[in-house]
Amino acid sequence: MAKAWSAVEALVIRSQLEGTGLPFYTRNEGTQELIGTGALGGYNLVTGPVEFWVPRPLLEHAQTLLHPPTADTPTDCPACAARVPVFLNTCPDCGLRLRP
């Protein structure tokens, strides 16, 4: 679901998931300093980065939490499923008005 390439990133991801009460488990978290040279450059080169996993039914919610849509994220037209850039108020394919 998510990988933390540094200890700081792992703390941020953990904080976001715990703050919303989403169940999750981690992989490679306890081995970062045990094997090889430790967390050289942010993560252990032998075991890989810390991975955060959530149950499949909650995956979309967790991804939205960790990577919220921005103002420049295009939307999908509900009528024809075309990608609509944020600077357009109507769908370029079907003409549906999306925003006031």
Side-chain angles (χ1 to χ4, degrees), residues 16-63:
Q16 289 177 317
L17 293 173
E18 285 178 347
T20 58
L22 283 175
F24 68 94
Y25 73 93
T26 60
R27 191 171 142 194
N28 299 333
E29 186 174 29
T31 59
Q32 291 299 303
E33 301 296 332
L34 293 178
I35 302 171
T37 57
L40 243 180
Y43 67 96
N44 189 300
L45 298 175
V46 175
T47 62
V50 176
E51 296 177 356
F52 291 83
W53 294 84
V54 298
R56 189 175 301 275
L58 301 173
L59 180 60
E60 187 175 335
H61 178 64
Q63 288 175 333

